[in-house]
Amino acid sequence: MAPMDAAVPGTLVWGHAALAVCAALYLAWWWTFFNPALPKAMGALYAMGVGFILGAVAFGIAAVVLLAMGLGALAGAPQVGGAAPGWVFAVGGVAAYAALAFVTVRFFGRPVTTELLLFVLWAALELAVLNALMGAGMLFGGAFWLLAGVVALVTAANLVCYVLYFRLPPVPSFIDGAAPLAIVGVLAAVLAAVIARL
């Protein structure tokens, strides 16, 4: 249970809300430009698609900034749980990205694209948030492990989709590329609601 004088930083809630919007806009961009059932985007549709990706970038940056602010606020709270130092997730994220880039290229012949960086960054950031909440006594150990397990499962599913993308026919490939965006967006919205209730 959280200490009586502790409060979850609102930036963690708004950061996850921004992340959910980012995923939705990214998905809209994906639908506009990569859906094999649609004609090539031109004119107003092309401009709308560009607007979607620019909005996704803006909300993505806002999400990272807000979540980082929330992590900073939690770092100053009294530590009552057995949390790992924050730098573990930064170093772990870099190491995981380097290892996954090597493995996917070397063993699966998958060229490295931005999506790998995005979902590794997402996983490291989510685990850092959950860890900080546990350390501040705002998240029980069981809830931490449950949510961390969900993040790990989503990351594993994202990696499978990432590896399969170039091996699939057009329609399955389009769906394969959209699935991680939808899952991460839904999970971000769920986490925003969960954290708001802590």
Side-chain angles (χ1 to χ4, degrees):
M1 189 173 200
M4 292 299 292
D5 60 345
V8 176
T11 49
L12 293 180
V13 176
W14 288 110
H16 281 93
L19 186 58
V21 174
C22 169
L25 289 171
Y26 202 131
L27 192 58
W29 169 76
W30 185 261
W31 181 274
T32 303
F33 284 105
F34 296 95
N35 188 341
L38 295 177
K40 184 177 179 180
M42 299 177 68
L45 185 59
Y46 182 89
M48 186 180 299
V50 171
F52 287 146
I53 195 61
L54 292 176
V57 170
F59 275 95
I61 291 171
V64 171
V65 170
L66 288 167
L67 293 175
M69 289 171 61
L71 287 171
L74 286 179
Q79 298 297 295
V80 298
W87 61 263
V88 168
F89 299 93
V91 173
V94 171
Y97 174 75
L100 289 173
F102 173 78
V103 168
T104 54
V105 171
R106 176 69 176 81
F107 298 102
F108 297 98
R110 203 316 186 168
V112 177
T113 56
T114 308
E115 287 75 19
L116 180 63
L117 176 63
L118 292 178
F119 76 69
V120 171
L121 172 63
W122 169 80
L125 197 52
E126 291 295 8
L127 292 176
V129 167
L130 296 175
N131 174 73
L133 288 169
M134 182 178 67
M138 299 174 185
L139 193 64
F140 291 106
F144 167 80
W145 288 112
L146 174 63
L147 292 173
V150 171
V151 170
L153 284 174
V154 170
T155 303
N158 287 348
L159 183 59
V160 170
C161 290
Y162 177 78
V163 169
L164 290 177
Y165 177 72
F166 287 114
R167 302 180 176 205
L168 297 172
V171 172
S173 178
F174 168 73
I175 295 170
D176 177 84
L181 298 170
I183 294 170
V184 166
V186 169
L187 183 56
V190 168
L191 287 172
V194 169
I195 293 171
R197 295 177 62 87
L198 292 179

